[in-house]
Amino acid sequence: MDNNILDSILGAIPQPIIAIDASERILAVNSAAVSLVGHSAMQHSYVTILRQPALLEAIEATLKDDVPRTTKYLSTDGAQDTTYKVTCRAAPGVGKSGTKAIILFFEDISQMEEVGQMRRDFVTNVSHELRTPLTALIGFIETLRGPARDDAKAATRFLNIMQDEAERMNRLVGDLMSLNRVEGNERVRPTQRVVLNDIIQSTCHSLQPLALQAGVKFEFESPELPVEIYGDSDQLTQVFTNIIGNALKYGASGGRVTLRMTTIAREAALRAPGVRLQVIDYGAGIDPVHLPRLTERFYRVDGHRSRELGGTGLGLAIVKHIINRHRGKLNIESALGKAPPSQWCCRPSRYREF
Ligand SMILES: Nc1ncnc2c1ncn2[C@@H]1O[C@H](COP(=O)(O)OP(=O)(O)OP(=O)(O)O)[C@@H](O)[C@H]1O
Ligand SMILES: [Mg+2]
């Protein structure tokens, strides 16, 4: 084929491609590959340009026996690492005077690697979260069978701790299943009509004993008219239980929690009428460095404190998925020690007043 045509075809391919001839020189570099190896790579020995041992070995071997090989190549432009899967194949008759060439195809697999890493991190996190209570349980069982066998007082104390730990594991498994379910139906829009005012009232009613215990008073600021949206009432109850529960767990020192609902004629983010719900506590607040990561699974500002309070670190991850399903937006604002320090706004999509 005419060299110009070949160059045009190679140039039009969006993935990086490099050709190496039998004398080990770089014969062709398409435009996508220029960002990987630079403009001046042509005619240089591939060994001085590609420099990563796994790739060099693969090229050398394919040059010898013509057997295709795949390997990985990591490229970094200073700010970002990109992982490529590279396939080396021999192409007979392409090189000078009809000798063979080795063609390298680069396929960006960074995203797949990232997903794999996320999955591994998730499994590590879950195992770690389960192992802590399990280790405690095993320890107490051993103590109860051994040194504390005849100590009724110690047995009662240990059994109480064991119950707490077992309940924590149960909550964790429940939250994981809930997260799974929510992720599964995130794209299915809710079709029930629900009245938000009622859901908030009933959530606060269920949380009243906790609020009393924490010395917190609820303040309601909501429109007179009931606000109706398309929603899933169980899931919305879960959202408010977690957000208000967090305000009670971490922001109780403020002594009050404001629940404010406002209807907005035209919400810019939704390009439609909207309703905004704010749960404001007056506690210690959250350092803004943590805000972008709060909705990640198992992310906690103070892991020890959250665990002590029975938290699994999955609450806000579940909240985010449920709000997404309702075409809403979760917005978390806070600063350390500023009043009002923590402010949570959710805007479950369209609303209808009646
Ligand atoms: N109102 C708040 N004030 C201060 N910190 C908060 C507040 N709400 C949440 N946080 C921080 O954000 C973290 C994540 O909250 P999230 O609800 O996801 O998990 P959790 O409360 O620890 O556990 P779970 O909700 O599963 O029981 C908490 O561990 C806490 O450190
Ligand atoms: Mg929580």
Side-chain angles (χ1 to χ4, degrees), residues 260-279:
R260 182 180 300 148
M261 177 151 76
T262 23
T263 51
I264 303 158
R266 192 178 159 78
E267 170 60 55
L270 304 170
R271 281 194 240 124
V275 51
R276 177 182 296 150
L277 288 152
Q278 288 166 291
V279 178

Side-chain angles (χ1 to χ4, degrees), residues 171 175 242-243 245-251 281 283-286 294-296 298-303 305-307 309-319 334 342-344:
R171 262 198 311 275
D175 279 356
N242 189 273
I243 297 180
N246 280 349
L248 295 177
K249 273 202 279 185
Y250 310 107
D281 72 64
I286 309 166
L294 276 193
T295 54
E296 279 176 26
F298 299 116
Y299 189 85
R300 300 157 167 122
V301 174
D302 177 349
R305 171 133 189 266
S306 155
R307 278 189 202 99
L309 297 170
T312 64
L314 290 173
L316 289 176
I318 297 174
V319 163
S334 186
S342 315
Q343 173 167 287
W344 313 85

Side-chain angles (χ1 to χ4, degrees), residues 36-103:
L36 275 184
V37 294
H39 281 285
S40 53
M42 287 287 283
Q43 294 306 325
H44 279 80
S45 158
Y46 75 86
V47 182
T48 59
I49 301 291
L50 296 167
R51 283 196 279 184
Q52 289 181 20
L55 180 56
L56 298 184
E57 267 169 39
I59 299 170
E60 197 181 334
T62 304
L63 265 171
K64 262 195 204 131
D65 61 13
D66 291 356
V67 175
R69 285 179 175 75
T70 54
T71 182
K72 275 186 194 168
Y73 182 80
L74 190 72
S75 131
T76 176
D77 62 2
Q80 208 180 354
D81 289 343
T82 311
T83 309
Y84 291 97
K85 176 178 148 195
V86 187
T87 310
C88 314
R89 279 177 184 271
V94 175
K96 271 185 202 134
S97 49
T99 53
K100 72 176 167 193
I102 300 294
I103 315 286

Side-chain angles (χ1 to χ4, degrees), residues 193-195 198 224-229 351-354:
R193 283 181 176 178
V194 295
V195 178
D198 294 350
E224 288 295 306
L225 290 169
V227 176
E228 192 191 54
I229 65 163
Y351 78 101
R352 234 174 54 93
E353 286 184 358
F354 61 89

